[in-house]
């Protein structure tokens, strides 16, 4: 009896083993069929047809990268020269699996070698992989319910000096065609997969009707939102060195949608930073944006609005920002040359210690009185509440008049009131708009500065700070400006911007400041040469400073030529700066660049000499050879004819 029981047990084991082997063969056969169908190898005169995509046999893979060789030599006055030689190669392969819409990939790596005078050789390398799946929305089958696209990434690097970093990420996107409709067809909410408007769906065209009559019944369009595009990204990175290790985590969730007149964004980010020598840091960012652009029914007006809510949290502190800006514009007049613009907005900011809100509104009316005369009136009001109360009100009027076909005159005058007192401003500009543009202007403004009190501890005291009162005063500013630009002759042009400003300030510490600013450039192109010459002169004279006058003069020159047949570019640049305290700096920078097919050779030399911090000369020479790699590779996954 025991022997019969043992034979029965062994038979049962053999039967189960045979059953498992049969099941294993079926699974292998099933997955083999899937692999053959999905990743069809090259079959002559055949093209794979998949249940969700049509294969494009004209695409190829790309082998990309470059090889670099660099030589750099640096030497200073009274110091030993340092030479650095670097070499590196970057190589990657990008392409698709079966079809670009199904799977894209980019695999690459790099290696670099650096040798410096008196230092050890440093070898660094890195590898990276990026894969993107379901790159085009699948409309049929089970895959239409999967996240699309799906992005995977991985990277590893070694800096050659004991530091290693690893990063990987996952990105998911999801979107479906159609609209989320509200208050339409007797329903509060429903999902319309077609994505067509109510007008399109209710418009009936009967081209085969006996009388050729077309019925067009247009329905009422309610509010809708496009099915949002949702993306979720997660990235993690780690770095480990000889004396420190760092890890970071980032999560980003975004949803974007639109309606007939608006665009919407919802974004949430979470960042975590953890270092071996620093405490863990958590940062959260929340943002909601809603922007609208609504045209008027008569197409002569439109309304635009930009709104956002941002909440940032770091450690135990948080900052809330709410912003809105709104503009309404309308064209007026028989030829729509007049216009009115009304704007209003504000912001609210709250953090751990302070809250601030600001409200502002303004209006602009522009009237075209004739072809030669135009008038504009502007008015604005601003109010702000923070650690104090601030306000400003202003109104201004500007006139533009064409005196002659090439002569224009413009003037502006304004008055206002602010927290510190009244404000006045005015200006006039005369412009010649012929071949050479000349603009001569004069501006005048008056503002008020506030009185303040501040507790200050004098150097000779260790206790009992004293209160120092600053008496506010009037600030008057006058400015004369002269701007010129145009063409002098054949391929010769110039620009110049100049102004002279006088600022008088009364009250505590009153002073007078005079500033002269002159800038200009000349451009000349003759044959294959390009010449650029520029200058800057700035002088400031302030009565309460010692020395009172500070000025600087700068000149710059660039001469270049391109030899098209030889594919050679030559350039030399120079710069000179002189300050009235006797310090100076000048530099010379010649450069040559030669290109032949995929190879580029460049040579640069830079010399900088200055006496600003003791006489110092910096010399630097760089020779670089680059060979780009860009080849089309025949696909090895998928059917290709």
């Amino acid at each position: 009896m025991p022997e019969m029981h043992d034979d029965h047990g062994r038979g049962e084991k053999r039967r189960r083993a045979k059953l498992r082997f049969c099941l294993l063969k079926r699974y292998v056969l099933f997955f083999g069929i899937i692999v053959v169908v999905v990743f069809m190898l090259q079959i002559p005169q055949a093209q794979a047809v998949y249940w969700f995509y049509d294969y494009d046999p004209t695409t190829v893979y790309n082998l990309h990268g470059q090889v670099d060789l660099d030589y750099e030599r640096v030497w200073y006055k009274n110091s030993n020269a340092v030479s650095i030689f670097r070499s590196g190669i970057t190589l990657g392969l990008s392409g698709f699996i079966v079809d670009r819409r199904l799977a894209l990939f980019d695999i690459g790596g790099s290696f670099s070698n650096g040798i410096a005078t008196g230092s050890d050789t440093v070898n660094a390398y890195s590898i990276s992989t990026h894969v993107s799946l379901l790159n085009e929305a699948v409309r049929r089958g089970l895959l239409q319910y999967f996240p699309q696209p799906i992005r995977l990434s991985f990277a590893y690097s070694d800096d050659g000096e004991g530091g290693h970093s690893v990063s990987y990420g996952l990105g998911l996107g999801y979107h479906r065609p159609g609209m989320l409709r509200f208050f339409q067809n007797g329903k509060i909410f429903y999902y319309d997969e077609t994505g067509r408007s109510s007008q399109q769906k209710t418009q009936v065209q009967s081209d085969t009707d006996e009388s050729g009559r077309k019925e067009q019944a247009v329905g009422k369009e309610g509010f809708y939102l496009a099915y949002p595009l949702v993306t979720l990204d997660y990235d993690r990175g780690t770095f480990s060195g000889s004396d420190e290790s760092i890890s970071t985590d980032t999560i980003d969730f975004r949803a974007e949608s639109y309606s007939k007149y608006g665009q919407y964004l919802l974004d949430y980010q979470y960042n975590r930073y953890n270092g071996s020598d620093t405490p863990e840091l958590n940062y959260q960012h929340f943002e909601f944006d809603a922007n609208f652009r609504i045209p008027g029914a008569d197409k002569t007006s439109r309304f635009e609005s930009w709104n956002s809510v941002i909440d940032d949290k770091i450690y135990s502190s948080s900052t809330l920002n709410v912003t809105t800006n709104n503009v309404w514009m309308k064209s007026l007049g028989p030829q729509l040359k007049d216009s009115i613009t009304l704007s209003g907005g504000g912001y609210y900011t709250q953090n751990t210690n302070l809250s601030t809100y600001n409200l502002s509104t303004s209006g602009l009316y522009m009237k075209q009185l004739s072809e030669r005369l135009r008038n504009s009136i502007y008015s604005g009001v601003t109010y702000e509440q923070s650690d104090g109360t601030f306000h400003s009100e202003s109104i201004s009027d500007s006139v533009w008049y064409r005196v002659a076909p090439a002569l224009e005159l413009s003037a502006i005058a304004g008055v206002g009131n602010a927290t510190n007192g009244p404000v006045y401003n005015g200006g006039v500009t005369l412009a010649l708009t012929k071949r050479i543009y000349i603009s001569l202007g004069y501006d005048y403004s008056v503002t008020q500065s506030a009185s303040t009190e501040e507790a200050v501890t004098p150097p000779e005291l260790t206790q009992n700070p004293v209160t120092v009162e600053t008496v506010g005063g009037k600030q008057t500013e006058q400015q004369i400006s002269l701007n010129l630009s145009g063409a002098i002759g054949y391929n010769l042009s110039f620009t110049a911007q100049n102004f002279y400003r006088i600022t008088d300030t009364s009250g505590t510490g009153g002073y007078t400041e005079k500033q002269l600013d002159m800038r200009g450039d000349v451009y000349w192109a003759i044959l294959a040469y390009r010449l650029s010459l520029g200058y800057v002169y700035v002088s400031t004279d302030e009565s309460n400073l010692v020395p009172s006058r500070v000025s600087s003069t700068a000149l710059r020159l660039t001469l270049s030529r391109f030899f098209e047949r030889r594919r050679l570019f030559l350039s030399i640049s120079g710069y000179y700066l002189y300050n009235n305290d006797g310090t100076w700096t000048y530099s010379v920078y010649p450069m040559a660049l030669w290109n032949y097919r995929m190879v580029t050779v460049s040579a640069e030399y830079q010399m900088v000499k200055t006496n600003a911090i003791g006489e110092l000369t910096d010399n630097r020479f760089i020779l670089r050879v680059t060979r780009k790699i860009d080849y089309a590779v025949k696909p090895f996954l998928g059917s290709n004819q």
Side-chain angles (χ1 to χ4, degrees):
M1 293 296 294
E3 293 180 358
M4 294 180 60
H5 180 74
D6 292 342
D7 292 340
H8 177 75
R10 285 193 294 268
E12 182 66 20
K13 290 181 180 180
R14 286 194 297 269
R15 189 183 66 82
R16 292 182 179 180
K18 186 177 181 179
L19 178 61
R20 286 195 297 267
F21 181 71
C22 292
L23 292 176
L24 179 61
K25 289 194 297 182
R26 292 182 181 181
Y27 289 144
V28 170
L29 179 61
F30 174 76
F31 285 109
I33 294 174
I34 294 296
V35 171
V36 172
V37 172
V38 178
F39 303 102
M40 185 74 71
L41 298 179
Q42 183 170 306
I43 301 176
Q45 308 300 326
Q47 178 173 324
V49 179
Y50 308 100
W51 70 95
F52 50 91
Y53 286 138
D54 291 330
Y55 176 71
D56 182 6
T58 62
T59 52
V60 295
Y61 298 150
N62 180 256
L63 182 67
H64 56 86
Q66 69 180 37
V67 179
D68 297 297
L69 298 175
D70 294 351
Y71 173 75
E72 182 177 359
R73 183 175 177 84
V74 182
W75 67 98
Y76 304 91
K77 184 178 181 180
N78 301 326
S79 64
N80 296 326
V82 177
S83 299
I84 304 173
F85 178 77
R86 306 182 187 91
S87 61
I89 179 172
T90 302
L91 196 62
L93 179 68
S94 61
F96 60 92
I97 301 175
V98 177
D99 190 284
R100 293 182 180 275
R101 296 164 294 181
L102 176 63
L104 295 172
F105 68 88
D106 190 349
I107 303 174
S110 66
F111 175 80
S112 63
N113 174 275
I115 305 173
T117 303
S119 302
D120 297 332
T121 302
V122 178
N123 299 319
Y125 65 91
S126 67
I127 57 174
S128 63
T129 303
H130 301 273
V131 178
S132 181
L133 306 174
L134 303 179
N135 300 288
E136 184 176 306
V138 179
R139 302 299 178 88
R140 301 187 301 272
L142 294 176
L143 285 180
Q144 65 177 320
Y145 302 104
F146 277 66
Q148 304 169 40
I150 302 175
R151 296 177 294 272
L152 305 171
S153 63
F154 172 80
Y156 174 83
S157 64
D158 186 333
D159 61 10
E161 298 179 335
H164 307 270
S165 63
V166 179
S167 63
Y168 49 87
L170 170 65
L172 303 176
Y174 188 75
H175 177 69
R176 288 185 57 80
M179 302 291 179
L180 306 177
R181 300 191 177 276
F182 301 85
F183 308 106
Q184 298 182 43
N185 298 332
K187 300 179 181 179
I188 299 178
F189 164 78
Y190 72 97
Y191 172 60
D192 179 10
E193 188 174 1
T194 64
R196 294 181 299 174
S197 65
S198 298
Q199 296 178 355
Q200 292 174 323
K201 292 196 298 182
T202 56
Q203 184 175 0
V204 180
Q205 296 184 350
S206 178
D207 295 332
T208 59
D209 189 69
E210 295 180 357
S211 61
R213 179 170 47 89
K214 296 183 179 181
E215 300 177 1
Q216 298 182 354
V218 180
K220 184 178 179 181
E221 181 76 14
F223 178 73
Y224 68 85
L225 281 176
Y227 198 97
L229 171 62
V230 181
T231 58
L232 176 63
D233 295 311
Y234 172 75
D235 296 283
R236 177 173 175 80
T238 60
F239 172 80
S240 59
S242 57
D243 55 355
E244 185 181 14
S245 61
I246 300 172
S247 65
T248 60
D249 292 275
T250 302
I251 299 175
D252 187 2
F253 172 83
R254 295 170 63 91
E256 300 176 68
S257 182
Y258 66 89
S259 62
K260 185 176 182 180
Y261 299 117
Q263 293 182 334
Y264 313 93
L265 168 67
L266 179 65
D267 184 22
Y268 173 78
Q269 297 179 20
Y270 174 81
N271 297 273
R272 185 187 68 87
Y273 176 90
N274 191 11
S276 58
D277 298 333
T278 57
E280 181 176 318
L281 172 65
N282 294 316
Y283 167 71
Q284 299 182 63
H285 172 84
F286 172 82
E287 179 177 355
F288 175 73
D289 297 338
N291 303 323
F292 303 93
R293 183 185 177 92
I294 305 174
D298 54 359
K299 298 184 180 180
T300 62
S301 64
R302 72 176 185 269
F303 173 77
E304 298 181 3
S305 179
W306 303 269
N307 310 274
S308 68
V309 178
I310 300 176
D311 186 15
D312 293 321
K313 295 182 179 180
I314 180 170
Y315 286 121
S316 58
S317 63
S318 63
T319 302
L320 175 65
N321 292 279
V322 182
T323 305
T324 179
N325 291 287
N326 308 275
V327 178
W328 179 77
M329 294 164 281
K330 183 174 178 60
S331 299
L332 306 172
Q335 298 180 348
L336 301 179
K337 292 185 176 181
D338 305 335
S339 65
I340 182 172
T341 303
L342 301 177
S343 62
Y347 64 85
Y348 174 78
T349 302
Q350 182 181 24
N351 54 34
T352 306
N353 302 319
L354 182 66
S355 62
T356 303
Y357 69 88
N358 175 289
L359 298 174
S360 62
T361 182
S362 64
L364 174 65
Y365 176 71
M366 183 180 297
K367 177 68 176 177
Q368 188 77 31
L369 300 173
S370 68
E371 293 295 330
R372 302 174 59 181
L373 182 61
R374 183 173 64 243
N375 180 250
S376 300
I377 300 176
Y378 170 83
S379 178
V381 177
T382 301
Y383 178 83
E384 180 175 319
Q385 179 69 46
S386 184
D387 53 353
T389 301
F390 307 93
H391 67 89
S392 66
E393 303 82 31
S394 64
I395 185 171
S396 63
D397 184 49
S398 61
V399 177
W400 174 87
Y401 179 65
R402 186 188 298 273
V403 181
L407 186 62
E408 298 176 355
L409 176 67
S410 60
I412 184 173
V415 63
N417 184 44
T419 305
N420 301 325
V423 178
Y424 311 94
N425 69 287
V428 60
T429 302
L430 185 65
L432 179 66
T433 60
K434 199 69 174 177
R435 181 176 180 179
I436 297 179
Y437 176 84
I438 303 176
S439 174
L440 177 63
Y442 172 77
D443 295 282
Y444 177 84
S445 65
V446 178
T447 58
Q448 301 287 334
S449 59
S451 300
T452 61
E453 293 184 356
E454 184 179 4
V456 177
T457 302
E460 64 274 10
L461 299 178
T462 58
Q463 296 179 350
N464 302 324
V466 297
T467 301
V468 177
E469 181 180 0
T470 300
V471 180
K474 181 174 69 172
Q475 185 180 72
T476 303
E477 183 177 286
Q478 303 179 68
Q479 176 176 302
I480 298 176
S481 59
L482 176 63
N483 300 323
L484 305 95
S485 64
I488 302 176
Y490 179 71
N491 290 338
L492 181 62
S493 61
F494 76 99
T495 61
Q497 301 87 35
N498 312 276
F499 70 83
Y500 180 68
R501 180 187 300 142
I502 300 176
T503 304
D504 291 316
T505 302
S506 62
T508 302
Y511 64 93
T512 299
E513 180 185 81
K514 301 177 181 180
Q515 183 178 2
L516 176 63
D517 191 302
M518 305 172 64
R519 304 168 186 265
D521 293 278
V522 177
Y523 306 96
W524 185 33
I526 180 171
L527 298 178
Y529 292 93
R530 299 292 184 269
L531 175 65
S532 173
L533 177 64
Y535 72 91
V536 176
Y537 175 78
V538 178
S539 175
T540 303
D541 191 343
E542 192 169 329
S543 59
N544 62 343
L545 296 180
V546 179
S548 60
R549 183 174 177 271
V550 178
S551 65
S552 62
T553 304
L555 299 174
R556 59 181 181 274
L557 171 69
T558 300
L559 177 64
S560 63
R561 179 174 179 178
F562 177 65
F563 299 87
E564 185 174 359
R565 288 188 175 183
R566 296 180 175 87
R567 295 175 292 276
L568 177 64
F569 177 77
L570 300 177
S571 173
I572 181 170
S573 302
Y575 176 80
Y576 176 76
L577 172 66
Y578 179 78
N579 301 310
N580 67 333
D581 60 356
T583 59
W584 47 264
T585 300
Y586 70 85
S587 66
V588 179
Y589 179 59
M591 187 265 289
L593 179 66
W594 178 73
N595 177 263
Y596 179 73
R597 293 184 179 178
M598 308 292 284
V599 178
T600 302
V601 180
S602 64
E604 307 172 19
Y605 170 74
Q606 184 176 9
M607 188 272 290
V608 179
K609 191 169 184 178
T610 180
N611 68 344
I613 51 175
E615 189 166 335
L616 176 65
T617 303
D618 179 6
N619 297 273
R620 191 178 302 267
F621 173 76
I622 301 175
L623 178 63
R624 178 177 294 111
V625 180
T626 301
R627 206 292 187 188
K628 291 187 177 180
I629 301 172
D630 189 6
Y631 291 109
V633 181
K634 187 177 181 180
F636 49 85
L637 291 177
S639 174
N640 191 23
Q641 300 184 19

